[in-house]
Amino acid sequence: MADGSLVGVNSLKGKVSAEEWEVRVELAALYRLVALNGWDDMIYTHISARIPGPEHHFLINPYGMFFGEITASSLVKIDLDGNILQDTPYFINPAGFTIHSAIHAARDDAQFVMHLHTDQGVAVAAQAEGLLPLSQHALICLPKLAYHVYEGIALNHDERERLIADVGDKPMVLLRNHGTLTTGETASDCYLNMYYLERACKMQVMALSAGRENVLIAPEAAQNEVRSQTMRGLGGKLAWPGNLRRLDKESPGYDA
C-alpha cells in the first residue's frame, strides 16, 4: 500500500518497547536500502538485528516478503532456538536462522548482520584469490575481511561453530561460492561495511575483465597506510541520516 503498510500486518508501534521499535525501524531501513541498491535476491537473503536485553532475541525478515515491502512491524522476532516470539502470519528462512543465530550468539558487537547474494559478491567469493588489493575500497576492506568455506545451503546447524571460528572478530566476510556478509554495532556500521565490500567486489570484477596480468596491485606501503588511516572507522554515522532521507523520498513506509 502507499503508506508502506501490508495486509495482515498490524502496526507494533506502541506495543513493543521503545528500544525494540527503534531497532525495528533501523532494520527495516536496511532492507529497503538493499532493495533500492539492487542487492536483493528476491526473498532469499537476510538481515537481522539483536533486540537490546539479555535474552539474545533478534529480528529477521518474514520469509516470502520482498525487501522493498518490509516494514518495522512485519519483522519477525525469534530466539536463539528459532522460536517465533510474536503473532505473525509469516515464518522465517531456515538458512537465515542458521547463519544469523550463530553470529548473534557469539558476537555481542554484531548487533546487525547482513548477508547478500549479489552477482559481484558471489563472483569474488568464487575466485581463488578472493578480494585483491586493486582499489581504495578493497584496501579499506581487506584488514577487516574473513573467509568461510562453502558447505552447501546453510541448513546444518553444525556449521555454526565452523562459521564462527572462521569469522572471528572480523566485520566483513566472503562466504566462498555464496556471497557477502557484514556485521556492525549499529545499522549504519553494518550498512557501510557492506557498501564498501560490495563496491570493492564490483570494482574487482570490472578490473579483471582486462585479465589478471593487466591489473595493478596497490603498493604494499599504500596498503599499510590505508589500514592505519581507517582503524577508527569509516564515518557511517555521518552517511546514515542521508540514507534515511533517501528512503523517505524513494521508499516511504519502512517505519510503519
Side-chain angles (χ1 to χ4, degrees), residues 123-124 127 129-135 138 199-209 215:
V124 174
Q127 293 174 9
E129 293 182 283
L131 187 65
L132 295 168
L134 299 179
S135 66
R199 290 289 305 279
C201 288
K202 184 175 182 178
M203 292 171 187
Q204 177 164 320
V205 171
M206 296 175 73
L208 290 182
S209 66
V215 297

Side-chain angles (χ1 to χ4, degrees), residues 24-47:
R24 283 179 173 273
V25 170
E26 293 201 324
L27 182 56
L30 287 177
Y31 277 102
R32 295 292 187 96
L33 286 168
V34 165
L36 283 180
N37 290 337
W39 292 346
D40 48 343
D41 184 15
M42 290 203 300
I43 63 171
Y44 298 110
T45 60
H46 13 84
I47 317 169

Side-chain angles (χ1 to χ4, degrees), residues 183-199:
T183 67
E185 290 192 25
T186 64
S188 59
D189 288 341
C190 185
Y191 180 72
L192 199 64
N193 284 335
M194 184 61 78
Y195 177 84
Y196 270 91
L197 182 56
E198 285 290 333
R199 290 289 305 279

Side-chain angles (χ1 to χ4, degrees), residues 58-117:
F58 63 98
L59 300 164
I60 200 165
N61 52 311
Y63 202 20
M65 193 176 291
F66 277 58
F67 285 16
E69 300 174 315
I70 287 177
T71 65
S73 296
S74 67
L75 292 161
V76 179
K77 179 163 63 174
I78 60 175
D79 63 19
L80 289 177
D81 295 318
N83 298 308
I84 294 176
L85 305 176
Q86 67 182 78
D87 291 330
T88 175
Y90 291 94
F91 59 102
I92 62 169
N93 183 330
F97 168 74
T98 300
I99 293 170
H100 291 261
S101 64
I103 296 175
H104 284 299
R107 293 267 303 273
D108 286 340
D109 64 310
Q111 298 293 306
F112 290 81
V113 182
M114 181 185 296
H115 167 50
L116 304 178
H117 299 156

Side-chain angles (χ1 to χ4, degrees), residues 125-173:
Q127 293 174 9
E129 293 182 283
L131 187 65
L132 295 168
L134 299 179
S135 66
Q136 179 169 280
H137 283 65
L139 299 190
I140 289 170
C141 294
L142 283 168
K144 306 174 183 180
L145 184 63
Y147 293 84
H148 174 62
V149 68
Y150 186 59
E151 299 187 21
I153 297 173
L155 300 176
N156 183 356
H157 289 181
D158 290 344
E159 185 179 352
R160 292 186 290 189
E161 183 177 348
R162 295 183 291 276
L163 173 65
I164 290 302
D166 287 340
V167 172
D169 62 354
K170 303 291 188 181
M172 303 181 186
V173 188

